[in-house]
Amino acid sequence: MMPRTELLKDIIADLRMAASFVTILPVASSKPAGDGAVARATWALPVAGLLVGLAGALVYKMASRFGLTPNLAALLALATTALITGALHEDGLADTADGLGGGRTRERKLEIMRDSRIGTY
Protein backbone atom coordinates (compact mmCIF):
# COMPACT_ATOMS: atom_id res chain seq x y z
CA MET A 1 0.00 0.00 0.00
CA MET A 2 1.19 3.50 -0.85
CA PRO A 3 2.01 5.90 2.02
CA ARG A 4 -0.44 8.77 2.43
CA THR A 5 2.08 11.46 1.53
CA GLU A 6 2.89 9.71 -1.76
CA LEU A 7 -0.80 9.28 -2.52
CA LEU A 8 -1.47 12.95 -1.78
CA LYS A 9 1.46 14.01 -3.97
CA ASP A 10 0.13 11.87 -6.82
CA ILE A 11 -3.37 13.33 -6.45
CA ILE A 12 -2.01 16.89 -6.49
CA ALA A 13 0.21 16.11 -9.49
CA ASP A 14 -2.78 14.67 -11.35
CA LEU A 15 -4.92 17.71 -10.54
CA ARG A 16 -2.16 20.05 -11.72
CA MET A 17 -1.72 18.04 -14.92
CA ALA A 18 -5.46 18.10 -15.64
CA ALA A 19 -5.70 21.84 -14.96
CA SER A 20 -2.73 22.55 -17.22
CA PHE A 21 -4.28 20.39 -19.94
CA VAL A 22 -7.66 22.18 -20.05
CA THR A 23 -6.63 25.73 -19.08
CA ILE A 24 -3.93 28.24 -19.89
CA LEU A 25 -3.14 28.71 -16.21
CA PRO A 26 0.51 28.04 -15.29
CA VAL A 27 -0.17 25.26 -12.77
CA ALA A 28 1.92 22.36 -14.08
CA SER A 29 5.39 21.42 -13.05
CA SER A 30 8.23 23.08 -14.93
CA LYS A 31 9.68 19.66 -15.80
CA PRO A 32 8.22 17.73 -18.76
CA ALA A 33 5.45 15.27 -18.03
CA GLY A 34 6.53 11.67 -17.85
CA ASP A 35 5.17 8.84 -19.95
CA GLY A 36 1.54 8.20 -19.13
CA ALA A 37 1.18 11.29 -16.92
CA VAL A 38 -1.78 12.68 -18.86
CA ALA A 39 -3.43 9.25 -19.07
CA ARG A 40 -3.01 8.79 -15.32
CA ALA A 41 -4.56 12.22 -14.70
CA THR A 42 -7.71 11.64 -16.78
CA TRP A 43 -9.72 11.05 -13.61
CA ALA A 44 -8.97 14.68 -12.66
CA LEU A 45 -10.22 16.24 -15.91
CA PRO A 46 -13.83 16.55 -14.63
CA VAL A 47 -12.48 18.21 -11.48
CA ALA A 48 -10.57 20.74 -13.59
CA GLY A 49 -13.71 21.32 -15.66
CA LEU A 50 -15.71 21.84 -12.49
CA LEU A 51 -13.25 24.50 -11.34
CA VAL A 52 -13.52 26.31 -14.68
CA GLY A 53 -17.31 26.13 -14.46
CA LEU A 54 -17.26 27.42 -10.90
CA ALA A 55 -15.18 30.40 -12.00
CA GLY A 56 -17.80 31.22 -14.64
CA ALA A 57 -20.60 30.75 -12.11
CA LEU A 58 -18.85 33.04 -9.64
CA VAL A 59 -18.51 35.77 -12.27
CA TYR A 60 -22.18 35.34 -13.19
CA LYS A 61 -23.25 35.59 -9.55
CA MET A 62 -21.10 38.68 -8.94
CA ALA A 63 -22.35 40.37 -12.12
CA SER A 64 -25.95 39.64 -11.10
CA ARG A 65 -25.33 41.09 -7.64
CA PHE A 66 -24.04 44.27 -9.26
CA GLY A 67 -27.34 44.57 -11.11
CA LEU A 68 -26.25 43.55 -14.61
CA THR A 69 -28.88 41.97 -16.83
CA PRO A 70 -28.87 38.17 -17.06
CA ASN A 71 -27.66 38.30 -20.67
CA LEU A 72 -24.73 40.55 -19.83
CA ALA A 73 -23.88 38.47 -16.75
CA ALA A 74 -23.92 35.31 -18.90
CA LEU A 75 -21.69 36.98 -21.49
CA LEU A 76 -19.18 37.87 -18.78
CA ALA A 77 -19.30 34.33 -17.40
CA LEU A 78 -18.73 32.87 -20.87
CA ALA A 79 -15.85 35.28 -21.48
CA THR A 80 -14.31 34.24 -18.18
CA THR A 81 -14.38 30.54 -19.02
CA ALA A 82 -13.08 31.26 -22.53
CA LEU A 83 -10.18 33.24 -21.08
CA ILE A 84 -9.33 30.53 -18.55
CA THR A 85 -9.41 27.75 -21.14
CA GLY A 86 -7.85 29.73 -23.97
CA ALA A 87 -11.13 29.27 -25.90
CA LEU A 88 -10.36 25.56 -26.25
CA HIS A 89 -13.99 24.43 -26.50
CA GLU A 90 -15.08 27.34 -28.66
CA ASP A 91 -12.23 26.59 -31.08
CA GLY A 92 -13.23 22.91 -31.19
CA LEU A 93 -16.82 23.84 -31.93
CA ALA A 94 -15.72 26.18 -34.71
CA ASP A 95 -13.42 23.50 -36.20
CA THR A 96 -16.30 21.03 -36.20
CA ALA A 97 -18.61 23.51 -37.92
CA ASP A 98 -15.90 24.34 -40.48
CA GLY A 99 -15.33 20.67 -41.24
CA LEU A 100 -18.97 19.68 -41.46
CA GLY A 101 -19.87 22.66 -43.60
CA GLY A 102 -16.71 22.89 -45.67
CA GLY A 103 -15.91 19.50 -47.09
CA ARG A 104 -17.72 17.19 -49.47
CA THR A 105 -15.92 13.96 -48.60
CA ARG A 106 -15.25 12.49 -45.16
CA GLU A 107 -11.49 12.81 -45.70
CA ARG A 108 -11.73 16.49 -46.67
CA LYS A 109 -13.93 17.26 -43.65
CA LEU A 110 -11.42 15.62 -41.30
CA GLU A 111 -8.57 17.44 -43.04
CA ILE A 112 -10.33 20.78 -42.47
CA MET A 113 -10.99 19.95 -38.80
CA ARG A 114 -7.34 19.05 -38.22
CA ASP A 115 -5.88 22.09 -40.00
CA SER A 116 -4.89 24.68 -37.41
CA ARG A 117 -4.71 27.41 -40.08
CA ILE A 118 -8.43 27.13 -40.79
CA GLY A 119 -10.99 28.32 -38.27
CA THR A 120 -11.70 31.11 -35.87
CA TYR A 121 -8.96 30.68 -33.27
Side-chain angles (χ1 to χ4, degrees):
M1 181 148 193
M2 188 181 296
R4 275 188 192 203
T5 56
E6 280 299 311
L7 180 62
L8 186 59
K9 284 182 183 178
D10 286 347
I11 289 172
I12 291 171
D14 288 352
L15 288 169
R16 289 176 73 179
M17 176 63 66
S20 71
F21 191 70
V22 299
T23 71
I24 60 169
L25 302 175
V27 294
S29 173
S30 59
K31 63 181 181 177
D35 289 341
V38 175
R40 190 185 73 238
T42 55
W43 70 266
L45 291 172
V47 177
L50 176 67
L51 295 175
V52 171
L54 286 174
L58 179 64
V59 167
Y60 181 86
K61 186 75 167 171
M62 288 173 31
S64 295
R65 295 257 176 173
F66 283 118
L68 274 64
T69 65
N71 286 341
L72 189 53
L75 182 64
L76 289 174
L78 181 63
T80 299
T81 59
L83 284 172
I84 291 172
T85 63
L88 176 70
H89 295 89
E90 292 78 6
D91 185 47
L93 178 63
D95 286 344
T96 301
D98 287 344
L100 294 176
R104 293 213 185 272
T105 66
R106 180 179 188 271
E107 291 76 24
R108 179 63 182 140
K109 289 178 183 197
L110 290 173
E111 181 184 342
I112 290 170
M113 288 184 211
R114 289 184 184 122
D115 191 348
S116 62
R117 297 168 298 157
I118 299 173
T120 60
Y121 191 66

